[in-house]
Amino acid sequence: MWIWQEPDWPRGRLDPGRLLGPLSATQATVAPLVSQGAALTTDQRLRLEATLLGEEIEASARLSGVVLERSAIRTALHQALGLADDGPVWPVPPVVDTFVDVTLEAVRTAFMPLGEARLLEWHRRLAPQLPRSAGLAVGEWRDGPFEEISGRYGLKRLRYRAPGEDHAALTAEIEAFFARLEDEEPGLEGAGHLQALRLHAHWLALSPLALGNGLIGRLLLARWLTRAEGIMALQAEGELVSLPAPSTLEPYAWRRQALAPALVEAQHEWQALREACFGRPPAPRSRLDAGLPDEDAPARPGALAPWVRWWLERVREGARRGQAHFARVRRAERLWLAHARTPLNARQRELVLTLLERDDGAGVARSDYRDLVATSEPTAARDLSDLTAKGVLESTGVGRGTRYRLPALERLG
């Protein structure tokens, strides 16, 4: 049995009262992002968002089987956001421009009504970039059944079958989804993160597209979380009776965290969660088993508490990453200010930008730098020695074990 065959479809079974603990923990983790974001200048906010969206776009594309270069994503985001690029401007392939433009549109329109036309336009632009998209419907709803199959040839397994096996049935399901959006997108009433995750479950269980349902679902989740956290920022400024006009809300429509990287790290858990909540096909039984009770029968699908609890943990992971990015913005600003008159070549700037993005304290070895900027061993050695002499980097270790790191934040002040 599948989730949509249950009588409580599409809302599923969920008692919000049993999730007060995880919800409170998530809001407490996200709240500092909201307050810190309000203290940033416009340029700082845009630079922070460029970093967060860069991680989100790269990870989300990878989940869909598309590999995008981080340097090209950064260049495209800086161009789209009107930021001066501190490093070399890399060529931007059309596929990167497409992912960046659609993601920004999904976030920036978070407080505007979402209709079928806008959503299908996102799909029309993104779907042709996905593997095995040839011959499938693009920019329109699927015209037949949807099944998710995994496994090798001869060992394939049905993981999920979506509702709406003919045009009329699917049309009715899609109309119900968009009607629900009008009432349940995160607003002033209710818990925004909970609303976002329930809508996300509805979209993925519906899977109304021939391909790319996961990719579009991540865009929608980014939109709904942007709404939820933007409303938190509004409420922190004072009492609200109703939401202002979308034009007034535009400054609040920006991403404060990257969620897709946390999903990349938990793909196996994610697949098991989907099967538990959405259902799975019955295992074949022999005639000898006929009439015997099925002791291994899975629990009825449609119980969304595990879904919400798991996703709230991913949101908290994203928020913790966001906290580190706030410190990274401060570090970057201080570093460039401290070295405003320090001459650096394009290769050196690319290394500094890469270290600022990673900010993991691990630094790089000379061979890492050589591969990063595609240069020779002698040139890499000269560049790194020059950066160390100028105080842009610090070196630790000796010989082949030498690593180069950014200085600690307090030594930049």
Side-chain angles (χ1 to χ4, degrees):
M1 178 170 286
W2 308 107
I3 184 173
W4 46 272
Q5 294 172 320
E6 291 287 324
D8 40 36
W9 166 257
R11 300 183 188 283
R13 299 183 300 281
L14 183 66
D15 180 1
R18 293 179 177 271
L19 293 167
L20 291 179
L23 272 172
S24 297
T26 300
Q27 290 171 343
T29 309
V30 171
L33 299 181
V34 173
S35 59
Q36 289 172 324
L40 296 175
T41 65
T42 300
D43 189 71
Q44 288 174 329
R45 177 179 68 76
L46 290 173
R47 289 185 181 280
L48 172 63
E49 190 181 26
T51 299
L52 293 168
L53 285 178
E55 288 191 354
E56 185 76 12
I57 291 168
E58 182 186 31
S60 183
R62 193 189 325 162
L63 287 166
S64 294
V66 180
V67 178
L68 303 179
E69 288 291 335
R70 176 66 67 86
S71 55
I73 296 173
R74 183 178 63 227
T75 297
L77 279 167
H78 280 217
Q79 291 174 348
L81 295 172
L83 289 168
D85 209 315
D86 297 310
V89 178
W90 296 91
V92 179
V95 60
V96 174
D97 263 335
T98 299
F99 269 83
V100 166
D101 290 346
V102 174
T103 302
L104 274 173
E105 183 178 330
V107 170
R108 290 293 186 266
T109 62
F111 290 100
M112 298 179 185
L114 176 64
E116 292 187 41
R118 185 188 296 274
L119 197 151
L120 289 175
E121 174 62 14
W122 295 344
H123 188 251
R124 184 191 66 76
R125 294 160 68 185
L126 288 173
Q129 321 297 337
L130 302 181
R132 297 182 294 277
S133 61
L136 295 177
V138 170
E140 59 186 74
W141 306 119
R142 57 181 165 87
D143 57 2
F146 176 88
E147 293 185 340
E148 185 177 322
I149 309 290
S150 68
R152 303 190 307 274
Y153 179 76
L155 296 173
K156 292 190 178 296
R157 175 189 173 195
L158 172 64
R159 288 194 173 274
Y160 181 63
R161 179 179 292 121
E165 296 192 356
D166 57 50
H167 179 75
L170 180 61
T171 298
E173 292 282 359
I174 291 170
E175 289 175 354
F177 174 77
F178 280 96
R180 185 179 182 186
L181 282 190
E182 294 183 11
D183 298 326
E184 296 187 34
E185 278 200 303
L188 294 178
E189 301 296 329
H193 290 88
L194 176 59
Q195 292 169 309
L197 296 178
R198 295 184 77 169
L199 289 171
H200 186 231
H202 187 171
W203 169 265
L204 288 182
L206 178 56
S207 290
L209 302 165
L211 80 163
N213 290 291
L215 177 60
I216 299 298
R218 289 188 289 276
L219 282 175
L220 290 172
L221 185 55
R223 166 193 170 87
W224 295 325
L225 291 176
T226 297
R227 280 180 67 101
E229 291 157 15
I231 289 169
M232 286 177 66
L234 273 166
Q235 290 172 327
E237 295 179 1
E239 293 293 328
L240 284 176
V241 178
S242 61
L243 284 179
S247 57
T248 305
L249 291 168
E250 188 174 346
Y252 299 90
W254 62 280
R255 290 301 294 130
R256 295 161 179 82
Q257 58 175 289
L259 193 58
L263 187 55
V264 169
E265 296 167 4
Q267 290 186 67
H268 295 299
E269 290 181 28
W270 163 230
Q271 186 58 56
L273 177 74
R274 288 189 63 184
E275 289 194 0
C277 296
F278 290 2
R280 56 175 70 92
R285 306 179 71 192
S286 71
R287 285 183 294 176
L288 295 176
D289 294 330
L292 296 177
D294 188 355
E295 297 178 356
D296 297 325
R300 282 175 53 206
L304 293 184
W307 175 278
V308 173
R309 193 175 289 111
W310 189 88
W311 273 100
L312 287 174
E313 176 57 34
R314 304 289 82 72
V315 172
R316 292 197 292 275
E317 289 178 27
R320 287 189 283 267
R321 291 170 187 258
Q323 289 280 10
H325 284 307
F326 275 92
R328 188 172 304 168
V329 166
R330 292 178 59 231
R331 176 195 285 261
E333 189 172 52
R334 290 188 185 185
L335 185 141
W336 293 124
L337 184 63
H339 293 284
R341 297 180 180 276
T342 303
L344 302 176
N345 62 41
R347 297 183 303 275
Q348 292 171 322
R349 284 184 172 273
E350 177 62 17
L351 174 60
V352 172
L353 286 168
T354 299
L355 291 175
L356 284 169
E357 284 183 351
R358 282 171 32 184
D359 200 28
D360 55 9
V364 294
R366 188 165 67 193
S367 58
D368 298 327
Y369 174 62
R370 181 196 62 210
D371 295 341
L372 174 70
V373 298
T375 192
S376 65
E377 187 75 18
T379 300
R382 284 195 301 271
D383 280 352
L384 291 170
S385 296
D386 182 53
L387 287 168
T388 305
K390 292 172 177 175
V392 179
L393 297 182
E394 297 176 340
S395 64
T396 58
V398 294
R400 292 181 179 273
T402 304
R403 298 193 71 83
Y404 301 86
R405 302 180 178 88
L406 294 170
L409 182 61
E410 57 271 16
R411 293 201 289 277
L412 293 173

